[in-house]
Amino acid sequence: MNRGWITRNAMLIAGLVLLVALISLAGCGSKSDVETDPAAGTGVGEETEELPVETVPEVVEPVVEEGPDYLNLNPSDYGVEDVFFAFDQYDLDDESMGILSHNARIIKEAGVTILVSGHGDERGTVEYNLALGEKRARAVRDYLVSLGVTVGQLKITSYGESKPFAMGSNEDAWAKNRRAHFERP
Amino acid sequence: MPVFFLTCVFWPNMALAQGRHTEVVIEHTGTAFIKTDVLIRDLDVLSGGVESADAANLMNRIVANDLRLSGLFLVGFSEENPDSLKYEFTIEGTVEGPLRDAAQTGENAPVTISLNLLSYPQRQLLMNKRYRPLPSQMRATAHHFANEVIHWLSGEPGICLTRVVFSRGSGGRRDLYVVDYDGEGLLRLTANRELNLCPDWSPDGKEIAFTSYRDGEQALFSLNTTNGKVRRVIAREGLNLGASWHPGGEELLLALSHGGNPEIYRITPQGKIIKRLTVSKAIEISPSWAPGGRDLVFTSDRTGTPQLYIIDSDGAGRRRLTFEGRYNDSAVWSPSGDQIVYATRSGNYTQIVVMKSTGEDRRVLTGRRWGNSEDPSWAPDGRHIVFASDRSGVFKLYVYDVVEDTFRQLTFGNDPDITPAWSH
């Protein structure tokens, strides 16, 4: 059918446009340049679906439909999970390693730079908690790199006890706050 | 501290000056000590009306408070002596009103203050000081005179012009503040919506080194206390933490982790690494110079728990200092070098401990009723220690008197105050 031919052509053109878009996107070093693209892309994409077939060359498939907009999402939004640590420990346990294997696949696919921040619970001193957070972030980065993630993709920092996820002075809150967290840098 | 001294007249009676250290008996036997009793008379207001009267009251109040806070004196205000003090000295003086001339009028006109220290009851003049402070310099002027009195009577320099810098805030934002040693004159030093932590004064008080995320990643900065300008000292990947100025001021100790692991380094104030002092796979942090600047104390968890160690400035001669407790950190050497104060964790609580720098005579200062007590710092008199405690539900700063075993609260309000450092 004529309609099927046009659809195939439309997809071909859309693919080419997408390729060009991706290349230009990859060329964008700075975050501020990229931030305006997804919104514009989405707007054009939605509009063109309503247009008659004659205007097919202008069809642009929105980039966001091809996969998550990694640059503008928090890692947790596309499936990267935080890992948790035992009291005063910075070693990874079996559960953490499982989570990090899962994270490694996603991070490699995403290809964006991610910040791994280390955290501790409120007990103990400010400085030792900062050091524990640092060791936790490094342990996570080292393991992810061993799973094939590019080292340059992972930045690390430690906030110690200064940016808690759960408030309260109890085992539950403390356990939630001893973690390595993945965030946009 | 910009105080304008018109004249500083100092007439030491030589006979008294030579004997002054024996006149004042300050004994510490562990449980009993003797204080010197001082009578502070109302200053005579010679002219100037309400401005002079306010100045007289303020001077009186601040000098009295300074003498009390030193721990060396009991203060009375009346010859009738309701507390039966055994007065040995009198402080009295005069205030003259602002000089009314074309250049300096109204709010900004200085008053002239003359203060005397006399023996009691003989009224022999021991010391006279004259000042011409502006209203904004009144507190510093009173502190200056109190320091002179303390020095004259005890031989020790007073701490009345010292200050405490600390980190205040929560929710991922903490700013540096500074407060006078008596809790007055609170001033905010940073405002960058990030974490600013672990400040330390340079020996001359002109700079405050601190760890901050103000540029995004953790780095060490230095704040110029004269003009408020901040410069970046060093920014290696990971920790740039726990700066401790060398007593000579020409270098600092710092924990850096860019080599993969937190280690102790000596750096210049410009951020150049002089020497790496520790090598291990453990956490090594919280360095603090001994007063002589030859040895340093720091924390290492190489045995599995954080403990205190001493090494020399080349990293040699390592010896373990603490064997009690499974968590010891934040050690600071006393100004005279004979004691070390640090934080220890017992169960879920952190407590402040003082011991001899040999590791003997360990003494817990803050019991369970103090909740968590952390980050101790010595006053230059070696008698007072400031630390952060959450005994009220939120971390605030408290000052401990090592001799009398008493506490006072230094900061107030709802925001947590942590990592204090006393100026030198």
Side-chain angles (χ1 to χ4, degrees), chain B residues 20-322:
Chain B
R20 71 192 194 208
H21 293 187
T22 53
E23 273 190 41
V24 182
V25 182
I26 299 152
E27 262 176 27
H28 178 228
T29 62
T31 53
F33 39 86
I34 298 165
K35 296 195 182 199
T36 303
D37 298 354
V38 178
L39 168 63
I40 302 184
R41 296 183 199 273
D42 288 345
L43 303 187
D44 286 331
V45 178
L46 302 181
S47 63
V50 71
E51 283 150 314
S52 294
D54 286 351
N57 286 335
L58 191 67
M59 296 299 291
N60 204 304
R61 206 169 66 235
I62 294 172
V63 170
N65 191 47
D66 281 347
L67 295 189
R68 280 202 204 97
L69 291 182
S70 74
L72 302 173
F73 304 98
L74 291 176
V75 177
F77 297 95
S78 163
E79 195 98 47
E80 284 152 28
N81 199 356
D83 299 323
S84 303
L85 299 180
K86 291 181 178 166
Y87 292 136
E88 293 179 59
F89 300 95
T90 305
I91 289 170
E92 60 183 32
T94 59
V95 180
E96 291 176 67
L99 300 173
R100 297 292 180 195
D101 59 40
Q104 290 175 318
T105 56
E107 294 281 298
N108 262 333
V111 294
T112 304
I113 298 173
S114 175
L115 295 163
N116 297 329
L117 175 68
L118 304 98
S119 61
Y120 183 97
Q122 300 88 346
R123 295 192 55 77
Q124 183 170 16
L125 183 64
L126 307 176
M127 182 177 76
N128 168 265
K129 293 279 165 186
R130 296 184 72 212
Y131 304 93
R132 271 195 74 196
L134 295 168
S136 61
Q137 298 166 330
M138 212 63 78
R139 300 198 67 86
T141 303
H143 289 318
H144 184 275
F145 181 72
N147 271 349
E148 295 290 322
V149 171
I150 290 165
H151 186 242
W152 210 98
L153 294 178
S154 72
E156 302 291 327
I159 58 167
C160 307
L161 282 166
T162 59
R163 297 191 286 175
V164 173
V165 63
F166 61 97
S167 176
R168 166 174 289 184
S170 59
R173 290 171 58 173
R174 297 187 199 269
D175 275 304
L176 294 190
Y177 285 72
V178 66
V179 68
D180 292 350
Y181 95 109
D182 60 357
E184 298 287 334
L186 181 71
L187 189 68
R188 183 172 174 169
L189 297 178
T190 65
N192 55 40
R193 296 170 175 269
E194 295 291 343
L195 291 169
N196 300 274
L197 296 162
C198 302
D200 191 48
W201 297 87
S202 66
D204 61 8
K206 288 180 180 166
E207 289 190 78
I208 296 170
F210 65 104
T211 295
S212 173
Y213 301 70
R214 56 187 289 146
D215 290 351
E217 289 168 33
Q218 194 192 97
L220 184 76
F221 295 84
S222 184
L223 183 143
N224 181 317
T225 56
T226 312
N227 61 21
K229 285 192 176 146
V230 173
R231 65 183 177 87
R232 198 166 73 176
V233 176
I234 189 167
R236 298 298 173 104
E237 187 195 55
L239 298 179
N240 298 260
L241 181 66
S244 169
W245 284 89
H246 187 273
E250 65 273 18
E251 59 176 272
L252 301 94
L253 292 169
L254 191 69
L256 295 169
S257 63
H258 62 289
N261 208 49
E263 305 284 358
I264 310 295
Y265 291 79
R266 284 164 56 194
I267 65 165
T268 68
Q270 287 69 44
K272 189 170 165 285
I273 290 175
I274 300 168
K275 191 174 173 66
R276 176 175 166 173
L277 300 184
T278 60
V279 184
S280 86
K281 287 185 173 154
I283 289 173
E284 322 233 271
I285 52 165
S286 306
S288 172
W289 283 111
R294 288 176 61 183
D295 287 343
L296 57 122
V297 61
F298 68 101
T299 303
S300 172
D301 69 357
R302 57 169 49 200
T303 60
T305 62
Q307 300 292 343
L308 305 184
Y309 295 80
I310 293 175
I311 50 174
D312 66 25
S313 58
D314 290 325
R318 173 188 285 256
R319 59 187 190 276
R320 184 170 166 180
L321 190 60
T322 50

Side-chain angles (χ1 to χ4, degrees), chain A residues 124-126, chain B residues 308 322 327-332 339-346 349-355 361-378 383-391 395-402 405-407 419-420:
Chain A
T125 62
V126 170
Chain B
L308 305 184
T322 50
Y327 191 113
N328 299 310
D329 187 24
S330 313
V332 191
Q339 294 180 92
I340 286 173
V341 66
Y342 63 98
T344 190
R345 200 166 76 192
S346 167
Y349 290 97
T350 311
Q351 301 174 320
I352 305 294
V353 174
V354 168
M355 67 182 184
D361 292 348
R362 185 180 179 277
R363 182 159 65 105
V364 176
L365 303 187
T366 55
R368 279 291 158 84
R369 72 193 172 90
W370 279 88
N372 291 293
S373 298
E374 302 177 9
D375 297 316
S377 173
W378 289 94
R383 173 175 178 139
H384 296 94
I385 294 165
V386 63
F387 61 92
S389 167
D390 68 353
R391 65 172 296 175
F395 273 102
K396 303 309 295 182
L397 304 186
Y398 297 83
V399 173
Y400 175 73
D401 182 327
V402 177
D405 195 24
T406 54
F407 296 87
T419 63

Side-chain angles (χ1 to χ4, degrees), chain A residues 84-128:
Chain A
F84 296 85
F85 293 84
F87 178 59
D88 272 1
Q89 298 299 310
Y90 40 82
D91 298 331
L92 300 168
D93 59 18
D94 290 347
E95 190 188 343
S96 295
M97 288 183 186
I99 291 169
L100 291 176
S101 305
H102 164 82
N103 286 354
R105 282 194 297 275
I106 301 174
I107 291 169
K108 279 189 271 190
E109 188 187 315
V112 294
T113 304
I114 287 174
L115 177 65
V116 185
S117 62
H119 301 259
D121 72 40
E122 62 176 5
R123 294 170 296 170
T125 62
V126 170
E127 286 180 60
Y128 194 70

